[in-house]
Amino acid sequence: MRQKNNTITGGLQTFLRRLRQHQTGAVLIESAFVIPVIALATIGTLEVGVTMLSIVMLEGAISEASRAGMTGATENGQTREQYINDLLKEKTFGMIDLNNLVITQKVYEEFADVGTPEPFADNDGDGIYSPGVDAYTDINCNDKWDDEVGKNGAGGPGEVVMYKAVYDANFMTGYFSHMIGDDDGKMQLSASTVIQNEPYGTPPPGCVVEVKM
């Protein structure tokens, strides 16, 4: 019985020694672990590269559009807003899905007004504007309180304008869209700049600022 056990043990040790020395299929097993990691790293690098390229293109397009807008330049048959929007789209060289690109221009009297809400009297003391309760100063003359005093448009001579492009970028793979994307599987990119138009003509007439409810 002891001899039989020794035979089994010796056979098992021999099998394990041969298995340890056997190299057939080892590369395949190692590749099964390594290739997915390399593929994921490669795709991730491409995703980051495309995202960075989109940001650079948005910033370049916004800069180019603002330089054109500040001079009052237009093309025949186009408004300044249309000209600037077309210029933004042209400078992205087809790399940006225009269906996911939103371009806005806001006009201000001064640089300090950018991002500033219209002032209001907090009559009920709740710290926020309450329609019909709190009086507000309608700086942009649109008959409603705004959390941002800018008004839409490319502005006139000497006016301050903020150009902003917001782009919902698609991912190349669904994996990263679920990992770092928004609820819709996209990543929101934005670029903006604030400039003051040159005094290229007669300033447009301003609106009459009133206190309203």
Side-chain angles (χ1 to χ4, degrees), residues 26-100:
V27 174
L28 183 62
I29 295 174
E30 292 171 356
S31 299
F33 287 102
V34 174
I35 289 178
V37 176
I38 294 176
L40 188 62
T42 302
I43 294 173
T45 301
L46 291 174
E47 293 279 19
V48 171
V50 171
T51 300
M52 295 301 296
L53 176 62
S54 299
I55 293 174
V56 170
M57 294 179 70
L58 283 177
E59 291 177 343
I62 281 290
S63 178
E64 187 74 19
S66 65
R67 284 197 295 269
M70 70 189 300
T71 63
T74 60
E75 293 286 341
N76 292 333
Q78 284 186 314
T79 64
R80 288 185 60 218
E81 288 80 2
Q82 289 172 335
Y83 172 68
I84 292 169
N85 288 349
D86 289 346
L87 184 61
L88 276 169
K89 294 171 182 178
E90 176 188 338
K91 294 301 179 180
T92 54
F93 304 106
M95 293 290 294
I96 300 293
D97 184 356
L98 301 182
N99 293 323
N100 296 336

Side-chain angles (χ1 to χ4, degrees), residues 6-21:
N6 290 338
T7 303
I8 294 174
T9 303
L12 181 60
Q13 290 175 344
T14 302
F15 172 75
L16 292 175
R17 184 168 57 254
R18 289 178 178 177
L19 182 64
R20 219 172 25 245
Q21 296 173 348

Side-chain angles (χ1 to χ4, degrees), residues 157-170:
E159 289 187 306
V160 174
V161 185
M162 180 179 68
Y163 294 84
K164 185 175 184 179
V166 177
Y167 177 57
D168 286 330
N170 291 307

Side-chain angles (χ1 to χ4, degrees), residues 107-119:
V107 184
Y108 307 86
E109 290 186 3
E110 300 176 355
F111 283 100
D113 293 336
V114 177
T116 303
E118 289 182 319

